[in-house]
Amino acid sequence: MMRAVGCCTWIFGGEPLEAVAERVRRAGLDGVELHGDMAGIDPAAARTIFRDCGLRIFSITPGDADISHPDPALRAEALGYYTRLVDWAAELGRGAELPRVSCHGQVTRIRPVSSQAEEDALLVGSVRQIAAKAAGRGLEVVFEILNRYESHQVRTVAEGLALLEAVGAENLALLPDAYHMNIEEADPAAALRAGGARIGLYHAADSNRGAVGDGHTDFAAQISALDAIGYDGPIILEPAAPGPDPFNTDKGAGFRDVLEAQLARSATALRALGT
C-alpha cells in the first residue's frame, strides 16, 4: 500500500518554518506533523509556507501539558492549552485537509504524583474532554503511546485500547511509535495488528532513534502489519541526531543537516518496503 511520508517539525529545534519546509521538501517527504507552538506559528502563514513547497500538514503534536495531574489548577491549565490547540488546528486546516491532533500526558513525568489509579482516571476524563472539543471542530484525535522513560501512563497498544474503551469517543484513535514499541512491545508488529482499525497514526524512528535502517527494528514486519489492518494514513518520521539528552533535539553543530539526511534515508527505505 502506498502511503505518504512526513516528519515532525519539532526535531529541527525552532528553525524557521520556511527553512524546515525546504529541508522536508529536499528530503523527498510529502508533509509534516507540525509542533503545536501556537504563540510562534501563525496558522495561515504556516499553511501557505508548506503548501508552496508542495507539502501537507498531516497532524499536530502538542507541547507539554499535564492532563492527568491531580492538582486541578495544573490540569485545567493543560486542558486550556488543548482547547486552544484544537481551535488552532482547525484554523490550520481551513480550506485544506484537517490535521489530526495528537495528545498524551506530560513527557518526562514517569511516576504518579498521587496514585496510578487516580491519575489513570484523570487521564480518561481529560482525553474525553479533548476529544469532545475536537469533535465539535470536525477533528480527529490520536493518543500517542510513549515508553516508560517518558510517561507512566499508556505504554502499550493494549493499554491504549483500554483507554479508548474507557473514553468512548468515536473520533479518538491510537498513535503507536516504532521507537517506543521497540522498548515496550514484545512483538511490535503483533501489537499493530491487535490495534487494527483503532490505529489512527503511526510514527517511525529506528531502535536507536535514528533513520529507518540505522537500527534493528523490523520495519518490514511493521509495514506488513499496517497493510494487514488497512492503515492508509501517513508515516510520520521522528528521528534524532546522535547524542545525549533525548529531550533536547539540538545535538550540536550541523544537527539539522544530520536530521535532513536521516529523513531522506528513511523515506527511501520505507518506499522500498512499499510505502
Side-chain angles (χ1 to χ4, degrees), residues 47-247:
R47 190 168 58 242
T48 299
I49 288 167
F50 289 106
R51 182 195 62 208
D52 288 352
C53 281
L55 301 169
R56 297 156 63 190
I57 300 175
F58 296 119
S59 48
I60 308 299
T61 194
D64 280 337
D66 199 339
I67 59 176
S68 64
H69 200 285
D71 184 326
L74 290 177
R75 200 166 64 255
E77 180 181 352
L79 286 169
Y81 167 80
Y82 274 100
T83 294
R84 297 189 300 276
L85 186 68
V86 166
D87 289 335
W88 183 78
E91 280 299 307
L92 274 166
R94 177 174 292 190
E97 177 183 13
L98 286 171
R100 302 163 178 84
V101 175
S102 172
C103 70
H104 51 65
Q106 181 160 330
V107 175
T108 73
R109 194 153 82 77
I110 58 172
R111 60 183 61 88
V113 174
S114 56
S115 71
Q116 188 73 39
E118 178 186 3
E119 294 188 11
D120 285 350
L122 292 172
L123 181 69
V124 169
S126 292
V127 173
R128 186 178 291 138
Q129 291 184 58
I130 294 167
K133 170 65 177 178
R137 300 303 302 267
L139 296 172
E140 299 292 319
V141 177
V142 287
F143 188 92
E144 182 169 7
I145 303 167
L146 303 174
N147 70 68
R148 70 190 71 185
Y149 304 108
E150 297 188 18
S151 177
H152 67 297
Q153 295 177 295
V154 189
R155 299 175 303 276
T156 65
V157 169
E159 291 176 353
L161 291 171
L163 175 71
L164 297 189
E165 185 69 22
V167 172
E170 292 185 1
N171 65 325
L172 179 65
L174 297 179
L175 166 47
D177 180 304
Y179 171 73
H180 299 307
M181 287 195 292
N182 170 69
I183 297 171
E184 298 294 347
E185 302 284 4
D187 186 338
L192 291 172
R193 290 174 185 269
R198 307 310 300 275
I199 303 297
L201 194 60
Y202 171 77
H203 277 186
D206 217 319
S207 56
N208 56 359
R209 201 67 187 254
V212 172
D214 284 359
H216 60 246
T217 296
D218 186 350
F219 278 101
Q222 292 192 31
I223 297 302
S224 179
L226 293 176
D227 288 342
I229 65 175
Y231 175 76
D232 60 0
I235 293 178
I236 303 296
L237 298 166
E238 195 177 24
D245 189 353
F247 305 113

